[in-house]
Amino acid sequence: MKTAATKILSARDVTKVYGNTHVLRGVDFDIAAGRVTALFGKNGAGTSTLLKILSGIEQPTTGHIELDGEPVRLRSPRDAAYRGISIIPQELNLFPNLSIQDNLFLAREICGGPWVIDRSSQRATSAAILHSLGEDLDPDRLVGDLSPARQQIIEIARALLQEARVLIMDEPTSALTPPEVEALFRAIGELTASGGAVVYVSHQPDRVLKIADDVVILRDGRLAATANARTVDIRWVVEQMVGPDREALFARLTQVIEAEPPPSQEESRAESRAEELLTLRGLSVAAPANPGHLAIDDLSLTVREGEIVGIYGLVDSGLTELLEALAGRIPSQSGDVLLSGVPLESASIRDRIDRGLLLVPRDRRRDGLIQTMSVGENLSLAGLDRFVRWLFVSRERELDAVDRMISDVTLRTDDAGAPVESLSGGDQQKVVIGRALLTDPLVLLLDEPSRGVDVGAKADIFQLLAARARHGLAVLFTTSDAEEALHIPDRLLVLARGVVTGDFRRGAITREELMSALDGVTVDRAEGGAN
């Protein structure tokens, strides 16, 4: 069993203020050598801000950082990395137009002589570190050609190559498959065994508690609790995250998860008469990185007015490719897509938005937000034409709509002028969803809408979608979370290697059948019909 170890990095009475918002309030936080510290906090608790301060991205408003017991100012991420502190951000920070090895060794190239990069050594070292993480990738392959899960592995490999004394991870497994998670956990074990320290932020306590030594909880910007990981369980973590409001949160979660009972025969017949808003017929989509392989193979489905349809699968099963093809971001190889019965074959992304089909992308930072804009500017961006009067945007109408949406999506700020980058990951996700809803879509596509958000924000998001569905919105979302798949959608499709292996009404599938369908075994009790 690991014992108390030397503190490497500490925060002392750290406060962070953005405008009128206090994100951190007098936080003390210690990171010890040879140990994994799990840091938990619900949406807006301040966990991401604390990580930014510990890694030199942000400066504390008051308080200070100590390294090896001595006060230090981390002026930038590069300064922090020089001192042995490396961060793997929740949203990836890679160069898609460069190769794997170029990303791994950027600004720290191996030189074989004056002005000469030893690419052979870089290639060998890249291959070795990737192999240790369970990936045998060509180091000369472009990062932009990799799946999001493999891009996450590259980000992790880059941090490990820096031989960091302190490795900070913000939701590092949100895009990873189970084998990739196991490989990451092995790498973490090797790092701590050699005396390194790991800070691990996650909204999945069940996963992190398996490897954590210490647990720290932030709540409303303050240190709420600390404990040895061996003495706590998931419920304790959630209770400490939520605090006095936990009963209300659990009630909302129950409402969302249990939703409504499965429909009766009469209700099913009424649903069948609802308008088909989205129709797919024999859709096939090539994998962008491998055009010879089909990411989606001959998929047919319908999504009706007021219906929430979920598609469950592993990260690389074609979920993202399907929604991006529907939104017009990548081409389909064959098949038909119809919106309210009208084909979308030649429609551009803008045309699809105008017709009422909109995508909330998987990577909110890269594809969903403009970080230099405010909350309000991000919310209104896609629907500005709604506020135009006599060739000018009516600021009054725009601000009124933005204020209503801030309330509808339950942001933790009422300041439309606040920088969107100052929000937590969960609130940023709500901004992306709110912007889509401001266009009054007929069909809303969401790629992993609860990725990287806490249980409270997850409840907010699915309650919002359920409320909009009751007013006629059709929702199609993807998920790799089994609990979401089993309990949230009215109808669930299981996707394995681009092929539908099950189609079920809510409440009509067990976890065992879900896993069988995920393994590619067609479960022969489909209801609702994919065709």
Side-chain angles (χ1 to χ4, degrees), residues 148-149 152 171-181 204 206-207 309-320 323 362 429 446-453 458 462 476-489 492-496 511 514-515 518:
Q152 183 82 61
E171 288 285 348
T173 62
S174 60
L176 304 187
T177 63
E180 290 167 337
V181 171
Q204 298 174 305
D206 55 332
R207 178 175 287 180
V309 176
I311 305 181
Y312 175 68
L314 297 178
V315 173
D316 287 333
S317 60
L319 303 176
T320 296
L323 294 196
R362 187 175 186 279
Q429 182 74 340
L446 303 104
D447 194 359
E448 293 269 11
S450 67
R451 173 179 173 256
V453 305
K458 182 183 296 189
F462 284 117
L476 178 64
F477 78 95
T478 65
T479 180
S480 54
D481 185 306
E483 292 306 314
E484 286 180 16
L486 288 169
H487 299 292
I488 296 296
L492 173 71
L493 277 68
V494 182
L495 197 64
R511 176 178 286 273
L514 181 64
M515 293 303 105
L518 190 61

Side-chain angles (χ1 to χ4, degrees), residues 373-390:
M373 285 187 172
S374 68
V375 171
E377 289 168 334
N378 270 279
L379 278 170
S380 65
L381 190 60
L384 277 177
D385 55 344
R386 297 179 54 206
F387 314 119
V388 173
R389 289 292 180 273
W390 304 105

Side-chain angles (χ1 to χ4, degrees), residues 357-425:
L357 180 66
L358 204 72
L359 170 65
V360 174
R362 187 175 186 279
D363 190 332
R364 57 179 168 264
R365 183 176 181 84
R366 185 186 68 185
D367 299 326
L369 296 169
I370 298 179
Q371 296 290 330
T372 55
M373 285 187 172
S374 68
V375 171
E377 289 168 334
N378 270 279
L379 278 170
S380 65
L381 190 60
L384 277 177
D385 55 344
R386 297 179 54 206
F387 314 119
V388 173
R389 289 292 180 273
W390 304 105
L391 302 180
F392 295 97
V393 173
S394 170
R395 289 290 294 165
E396 182 179 354
R397 289 171 56 86
E398 179 187 1
L399 291 176
D400 183 57
V402 164
D403 287 342
R404 287 199 308 271
M405 188 55 65
I406 286 176
S407 175
D408 288 349
V409 301
T410 62
L411 291 185
R412 289 174 59 90
T413 180
D414 57 3
D415 182 6
V420 75
E421 63 181 356
S422 70
L423 301 183
S424 66

